[in-house]
């Protein structure tokens, strides 16, 4: 059964499948993403959670569970395999007549450490198979948050983390450029649907989840999810930061459906990164020039994003990293 | 040819096949109608997956077979498929098993009855196709049942019994069927596949709380505060392991009755009745050990042989009963444990620990065959000879011998 698109939050209804009973930080972006993604998927869903904040902070010392659908932990690097194993079990049991025929969503909700680093090979393997309604969501809080904010391969250039602190000799903090995980996933020919998303615009994530589940094959969505603890900002600004990430072009929203690329949001007039970055404590050590140089990188990238959109084809938005002065 | 044909004698003489161990195990997986299989290549276990892939491609039975990107993924796939309610099969060898170690641990602690083949092989470095037990023995503390077959026939039978025991609600623990690399995985020998009498031996697998939206939602393996249920969670596995002993006995009794082969559940012994010396081992070399035992008996030496069929649960009580009256034990040990008590193998030290509670303690010597160099019957005879001398002298010269070592055994 196809999941219909949603126009307003009201249409989503009042039932939550990720609800109270967790202990994430106030304003936790990944938790908001979890709530929206599970609402979009509905009750016929199995959730799988690699280790990370969305495992540890969703557990609770009083043994309550925030999940109203079946949920099972998988190891930090096990997300890809867990999804495949679950989907394979349903297909085997159904095709052998051991279980009633029904469409079941399998949704793996893992962090950037889990999917972009330690579990990257497993995710890649999983996306070479043809299981339907198998959706991998990478909630990208741009660090190993649960272990106390360490840099991952999706941590942006310039961010200070506990493994990439800014110091007297190393001024910049993280000197690696953020890996574009979703683009590498698009290189898997078996994947029907790949998208990036954010907590803004409001129904963007919900509809992408529904499209992904309808797509007829395995699918992948990378959501940028602000993390007040790791990005150092007031919890009330989670959605504001999501909006600024999208409007400044720091985070491009796109989807790739059976070989066709399109931007799902084009910033009308791209604002500079300054407001977005200055709201986050992890960038306070950067100078105005650093931010300007990063701005120019983003500017270059956007030319390529727009060209990709025009051609409906992926062009890798490669740019040289901003070398520190 | 006349039209008169002889009546087949099939019912009386079981139809024998000449199968390698991996081929025989694949047959058991097919008989068990396994639903999800996860494969990754590493010698010597790989053959089982080659066979299963071929069977599935030829339509001999139907299962989802996933070619994983690593052993870690392989075991995670099996674990998660099992949580939904699928019967699963995986396996590995050598460093592959260690690569999967994290996924192997959690499978037991989540109480999922995955069955895996461990095709024992020396660990790297350097790469080595030889046979050692360390790759499998390291999982002794993890909550997996571990049984050890001595030939292809037993490997087939053990795989079927493994599903029955693991999936039993009183147990719900994963199960390694270990076989010695090369000697069992690759050597073809006569195997009699079970006939229709096996029907009903293996009831369908139904997890108590399937991870399926068809049932009440479960939250499985959620992060916990250790003070809350940490201890109880470990106790559940402990109790399951304890209960598995009775279930194993039950299963082998039923299996033996159905196939007409008699299997003692935990220990197999030869010439042990009045034995003064015993050879203790596991796996394929048991046959050579029995040959040595027979030879020495013919010379009037009172030598017996004991083979462990299970490593977990460890048959401590049975070993005590069987070995309490002997004076010396020669352990044929394909494991090592650098820096362990008296620098003996893991297999040896476990046996010593079990016999510490015996009312009479025999001398126990370790004959350690590390590094994959194959021993032969002369080595085993020498092991008995050394043990005999130690008994006669009343004390051992040393406890651990590397008989296949070239050069000085320092
Ligand atoms: C194999 C393994 N290595 C390390 C850890 C420690 N660990 C627990 S949570 C975590 C962070 C995971 O980061 P990410 O996937 O980005 O999720 P986040 O914590 O940011 O939500 C790490 C490294 C682990 N659980 N397992
Ligand atoms: S550290 Fe970040 S991701 Fe983790 S619970 Fe807090 S806000 Fe959420």
């Amino acid at each position: 059964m196809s999941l219909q698109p949603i126009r307003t939050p009201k249409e989503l209804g009042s039932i939550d499948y990720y609800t109270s009973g967790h202990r994430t930080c106030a304003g936790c972006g990944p938790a908001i993403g979890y709530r929206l993604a599970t609402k979009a998927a509905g009750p016929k869903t199995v959730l799988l959670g690699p280790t990370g904040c969305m495992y540890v902070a969703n557990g609770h010392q009083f043994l309550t569970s925030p999940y109203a659908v079946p949920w099972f932990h998988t190891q930090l690097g096990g997300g890809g395999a867990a999804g495949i194993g679950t989907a394979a079990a349903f297909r085997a049991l159904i095709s052998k007549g051991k279980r009633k025929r029904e469409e079941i969503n399998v949704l793996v909700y893992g962090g950037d450490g889990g999917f972009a680093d330690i579990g990257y090979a497993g995710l890649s393997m999983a996306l070479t198979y043809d299981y339907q309604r198998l959706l991998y969501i990478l909630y990208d809080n741009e660090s190993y948050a649960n272990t106390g904010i360490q840099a991952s391969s999706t941590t942006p250039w310039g961010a200070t983390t506990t493994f990439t602190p800014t110091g007297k000799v190393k001024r910049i903090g993280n000197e690696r450029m953020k890996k574009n995980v979703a683009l590498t996933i698009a290189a898997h020919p078996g994947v029907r649907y790949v998208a990036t998303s954010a907590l803004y615009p409001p129904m963007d994530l919900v509809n992408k989840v529904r499209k992904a589940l309808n797509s007829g094959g395995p699918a992948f969505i990378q959501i940028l999810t602000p993390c007040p603890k790791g990005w150092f900002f007031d919890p009330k600004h989670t959605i504001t930061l999501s909006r600024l990430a999208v409007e400044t072009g720091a985070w491009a929203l796109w989807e790739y459906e059976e070989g066709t690329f399109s931007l799902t949001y084009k910033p009308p007039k791209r604002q500079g990164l300054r407001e977005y970055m200055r709201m986050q404590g992890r960038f306070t050590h950067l100078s105005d020039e650093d931010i300007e140089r990063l701005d120019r990188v983003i500017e270059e990238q956007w030319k390529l994003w727009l060209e990709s959109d025009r051609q409906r084809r992926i062009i890798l938005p490669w740019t040289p990293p901003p070398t520190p002065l | 040819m006349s039209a008169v044909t002889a009546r087949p004698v099939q019912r009386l003489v079981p139809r024998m096949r000449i199968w390698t161990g991996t081929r025989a195990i694949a047959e058991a997986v097919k008989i068990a109608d396994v639903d999800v299989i996860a494969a990754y290549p590493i010698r010597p276990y790989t053959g089982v997956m080659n066979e299963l892939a071929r069977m599935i491609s030829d339509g001999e039975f139907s299962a989802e077979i996933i070619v994983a990107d690593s052993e870690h993924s392989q075991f995670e796939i099996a674990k998660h498929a099992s949580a939904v309610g699928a019967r699963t099969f995986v396996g590995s060898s050598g460093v592959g098993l260690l690569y999967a170690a994290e996924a192997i641990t959690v499978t037991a602690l989540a109480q999922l009855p995955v069955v895996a083949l461990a095709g024992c092989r020396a660990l790297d470095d350097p790469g080595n196709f030889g046979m050692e037990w360390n790759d499998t023995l390291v999982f002794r503390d993890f909550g997996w049942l571990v049984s050890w077959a001595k030939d292809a026939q037993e490997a087939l039978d053990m795989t079927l019994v493994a599903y029955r025991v693991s999936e039993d609600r009183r147990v719900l623990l994963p199960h390694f069927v270990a076989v010695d690399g090369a000697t069992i995985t690759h050597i073809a020998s006569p195997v009699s596949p079970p006939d229709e009498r096996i029907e009903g031996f293996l009831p369908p697998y139904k997890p108590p709380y399937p991870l399926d939206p068809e049932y009440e939602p479960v939250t499985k393996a959620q992060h916990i505060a250790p003070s809350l249920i940490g201890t109880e969670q470990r106790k559940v596995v402990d109790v399951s392991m304890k209960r598995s002993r009775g279930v194993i006995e039950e299963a082998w009794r039923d299996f033996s009755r159905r196939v007409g082969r008699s299997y003692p559940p935990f220990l197999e012994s030869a010439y042990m009745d009045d034995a003064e010396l015993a050879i203790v081992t596991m796996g394929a070399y048991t046959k050579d050990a029995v040959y040595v035992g027979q030879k020495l008996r013919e010379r009037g030496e009172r030598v017996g042989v004991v083979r462990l069929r299970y490593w977990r649960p460890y048959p401590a009580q049975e070993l005590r009963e069987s070995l309490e009256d002997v004076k010396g034990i020669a352990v044929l040990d394909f494991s090592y444990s650098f820096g362990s008590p008296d620098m003996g193998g893991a297999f040896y030290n476990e046996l010593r620990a079990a016999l510490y509670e015996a009312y009479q303690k025999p001398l126990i010597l370790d004959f350690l065959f590390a590094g994959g160099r194959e021993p032969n019957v002369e080595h085993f005879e020498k092991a008995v000879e050394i043990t005999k001398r130690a008994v006669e002298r009343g004390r051992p010269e040393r406890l651990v011998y590397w008989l296949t070592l070239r050069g000085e055994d320092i």
Side-chain angles (χ1 to χ4, degrees):
Chain A
M1 231 192 38
S2 186
L3 296 160
Q4 296 307 307
I6 298 286
R7 281 176 304 270
T8 63
K10 242 195 185 142
E11 277 178 47
L12 257 185
S14 57
I15 300 176
D16 276 303
Y17 303 98
Y18 171 83
T19 172
S20 55
H22 57 87
R23 54 186 182 94
T24 58
C25 309
C28 171
I32 299 170
Y34 221 151
R35 181 172 176 216
L36 291 172
T38 49
K39 259 177 122 73
K44 290 287 174 195
T45 303
V46 173
L47 299 175
L48 299 164
T51 316
C53 275
M54 290 300 100
Y55 173 50
V56 182
N58 283 334
H60 200 287
Q61 51 267 56
F62 304 120
L63 286 183
T64 57
S65 163
Y67 312 105
V69 287
W71 181 95
F72 189 8
H73 174 227
T74 177
Q75 296 313 106
L76 184 52
I84 280 284
T86 306
F90 281 114
R91 188 192 279 179
L93 294 175
I94 289 169
S95 73
K96 292 167 94 170
K98 295 182 182 178
R99 187 204 185 275
K100 112 174 162 218
R101 192 163 286 281
E102 198 175 18
E103 285 182 333
I104 308 292
N105 305 319
V106 177
L107 198 165
V108 191
Y109 197 73
D112 44 292
F115 275 146
D117 289 345
I118 191 171
Y120 189 60
L123 173 67
S124 174
M125 173 276 293
L127 293 171
T128 59
Y129 281 89
D130 66 346
Y131 292 99
Q132 300 187 9
R133 295 191 170 266
L134 171 57
L135 171 59
Y136 293 94
I137 296 184
L138 189 171
Y139 65 91
D140 188 0
N141 55 10
E142 302 192 318
S143 83
Y144 288 85
N146 185 63
T147 32
I149 322 299
Q150 288 84 22
S152 78
S153 60
T154 72
T155 301
W157 183 89
T160 181
T161 72
T162 51
F163 277 2
T164 60
T166 167
K168 290 187 192 113
V169 182
K170 289 192 162 210
R171 189 180 60 82
I172 292 300
N174 183 44
E175 289 174 359
R176 294 191 287 165
M177 293 282 279
K178 183 179 174 73
K179 172 159 92 186
N180 203 323
V181 186
L183 282 177
T184 71
I185 298 304
H188 294 66
V191 183
R192 294 294 184 96
Y193 184 84
V194 183
T196 58
S197 185
L199 303 177
Y200 179 92
M203 290 299 109
D204 186 78
L205 174 60
V206 166
N207 283 314
K208 282 176 176 167
V209 167
R210 290 164 88 91
K211 261 190 172 176
L213 292 170
N214 288 340
S215 71
F220 174 86
I221 301 173
Q222 181 176 3
I223 334 169
L224 187 76
T225 47
C227 160
K229 185 177 154 199
W231 299 14
F232 292 86
F233 66 84
D234 186 323
K236 71 182 179 209
H237 293 316
T238 304
I239 303 298
T240 309
L241 275 170
S242 299
R243 179 173 61 75
L244 286 172
V246 169
E247 286 179 355
T248 57
W251 184 237
L253 297 187
W254 53 266
E255 60 188 10
Y256 188 64
E257 258 184 297
E258 300 193 10
T260 303
F261 178 92
S262 50
L263 287 170
T264 55
Y265 179 90
K266 288 182 211 164
K269 192 181 168 307
R270 224 178 58 72
Q271 315 167 15
L273 290 172
R274 176 189 274 271
E275 188 187 356
Y276 175 59
M277 292 183 71
R278 286 297 181 221
M279 278 177 77
Q280 303 175 50
R282 60 177 172 160
F283 295 124
T284 42
H285 58 289
L286 295 184
S287 66
D288 285 351
E289 290 91 74
D290 290 331
I291 293 180
E292 274 159 31
R293 278 180 306 121
L294 203 54
D295 244 330
R296 283 198 291 278
V297 170
I298 300 281
E299 198 61 47
E300 284 304 305
Q301 287 179 356
W302 267 91
K303 285 184 196 150
L304 295 164
W305 286 126
L306 290 166
E307 186 55 26
S308 293
D309 185 63
R310 205 181 60 74
Q311 292 189 22
R312 300 272 170 232
R313 283 266 167 265
I314 289 178
I315 303 164
L316 292 184
W318 188 86
T319 47
T323 39
L325 293 172
Chain B
M1 276 264 300
S2 86
V4 183
T5 49
R7 286 246 308 278
V9 285
Q10 246 175 23
R11 298 291 309 153
L12 298 175
V13 183
R15 216 144 39 108
M16 298 300 266
R17 307 295 174 87
I18 305 297
W19 280 344
T20 61
T22 49
R23 174 70 183 83
I25 293 164
E27 198 64 23
V29 172
K30 179 173 109 180
I31 293 168
D33 190 29
V34 163
D35 304 305
V36 175
I37 297 166
Y40 192 84
I42 184 165
R43 270 186 266 186
Y45 107 103
T46 323
V48 75
M49 293 302 178
N50 297 347
E51 286 294 345
L52 288 167
R54 183 195 56 74
M55 287 171 168
I56 293 166
S57 283
D58 284 343
E60 288 182 24
F61 81 109
S62 138
E64 294 290 302
I65 180 161
I66 308 291
V67 181
D69 58 292
S70 71
E71 289 85 357
H72 188 281
S73 286
Q74 230 190 321
F75 279 80
E76 280 285 294
I77 288 168
K79 176 190 101 186
H80 284 273
S82 181
V84 174
R87 183 169 286 158
T88 56
F89 181 74
V90 279
S92 193
S93 290
V95 288
L97 284 166
L98 297 199
Y99 199 88
E102 180 194 32
I104 289 173
T105 325
V106 290
T107 304
L109 297 175
Q111 292 217 273
L112 293 167
V114 169
V115 172
L117 166 62
C120 298
R121 165 177 176 179
L123 296 170
D124 292 2
D125 249 356
N128 179 342
F129 287 138
M131 201 286 287
E132 283 178 342
W133 291 339
N134 276 62
D135 60 352
T136 308
L137 294 189
V138 291
F139 297 105
R140 65 190 190 175
D141 305 328
F142 283 21
W144 280 64
L145 306 178
V146 185
S147 63
W148 227 279
K150 71 167 178 191
D151 56 21
Q153 177 73 64
E154 196 183 36
L156 188 160
D157 297 348
M158 259 184 186
T159 306
L160 287 170
V161 172
Y163 283 108
R164 159 99 167 235
V165 174
S166 284
E167 292 170 5
D168 191 295
R169 290 283 173 96
R170 292 165 288 177
V171 179
L172 287 174
L173 289 177
H175 201 313
F176 274 120
V177 175
V179 300
D180 294 344
T183 44
I184 297 183
T185 55
H186 283 63
I187 305 289
S189 60
V191 175
S192 141
D195 56 22
E196 61 286 343
R197 286 175 294 177
I198 203 70
E199 214 137 293
F201 174 72
L202 202 52
Y205 165 50
K206 274 264 168 278
Y209 303 103
L211 204 79
D212 180 339
E214 184 68 4
Y215 302 86
E216 285 293 298
V218 282
T219 293
K220 202 166 163 53
Q222 195 191 26
H223 206 270
I224 54 156
S227 61
L228 215 57
I229 57 160
T231 311
E232 291 71 27
Q233 206 277 335
R234 295 293 184 263
K235 194 66 195 174
V236 167
V237 177
D238 176 57
V239 169
S240 301
M241 194 54 93
K242 285 173 178 157
R243 285 203 206 108
S244 74
R245 286 182 47 89
V247 179
I248 288 168
E249 280 172 13
E250 235 172 77
W252 281 109
R253 212 178 305 125
D254 187 17
F255 189 83
S256 300
R257 188 179 54 77
R258 285 167 185 268
V259 300
R261 274 187 291 281
S262 115
Y263 280 112
F266 290 108
L267 292 188
E268 190 188 31
S269 329
Y271 314 119
M272 279 303 291
D273 283 347
D274 59 347
E276 286 186 342
L277 298 175
I279 300 174
V280 177
T281 192
M282 295 194 293
Y285 287 96
T286 307
K287 292 192 179 176
D288 295 329
V290 170
Y291 169 77
V292 167
Q294 189 191 351
K295 213 170 131 185
L296 295 175
R297 280 274 166 183
E298 280 163 14
R299 278 202 239 136
E301 314 255 13
R302 280 152 69 181
V303 178
V305 179
V306 174
R307 169 177 77 101
L308 281 75
R309 298 183 70 240
Y310 281 82
W311 166 255
R312 286 293 180 268
Y314 193 85
Q317 190 52 40
E318 287 79 2
L319 282 165
R320 271 174 227 140
E321 281 162 18
S322 165
L323 297 169
E324 248 162 2
D325 294 324
V326 304
K327 298 200 169 79
I329 298 174
V331 180
L332 306 184
D333 190 351
F334 293 79
S335 71
Y336 54 84
S337 176
F338 300 121
S340 68
D342 297 303
M343 310 288 166
F347 181 66
Y348 167 70
N349 271 317
E350 196 101 348
L351 179 69
R352 289 208 301 175
L355 293 188
Y356 185 79
E357 295 300 329
Y359 75 84
Q360 201 170 283
K361 292 183 194 59
L363 284 180
I364 314 175
L365 303 191
D366 195 19
F367 298 92
L368 196 155
F369 302 104
R373 181 175 292 144
E374 275 205 80
N376 55 37
V377 288
E378 277 104 70
H379 292 110
F380 297 172
E381 282 172 28
K382 191 167 174 197
V384 177
E385 184 56 38
I386 292 171
T387 311
K388 191 179 156 206
R389 263 194 282 120
V391 168
E392 283 164 4
R393 229 182 297 111
R395 63 179 168 81
E397 226 164 85
R398 60 194 291 173
L399 291 171
V400 182
Y401 293 82
W402 291 48
L403 293 186
T404 45
L405 183 78
R406 294 187 191 135
E408 198 191 346
D409 187 359
I410 306 168

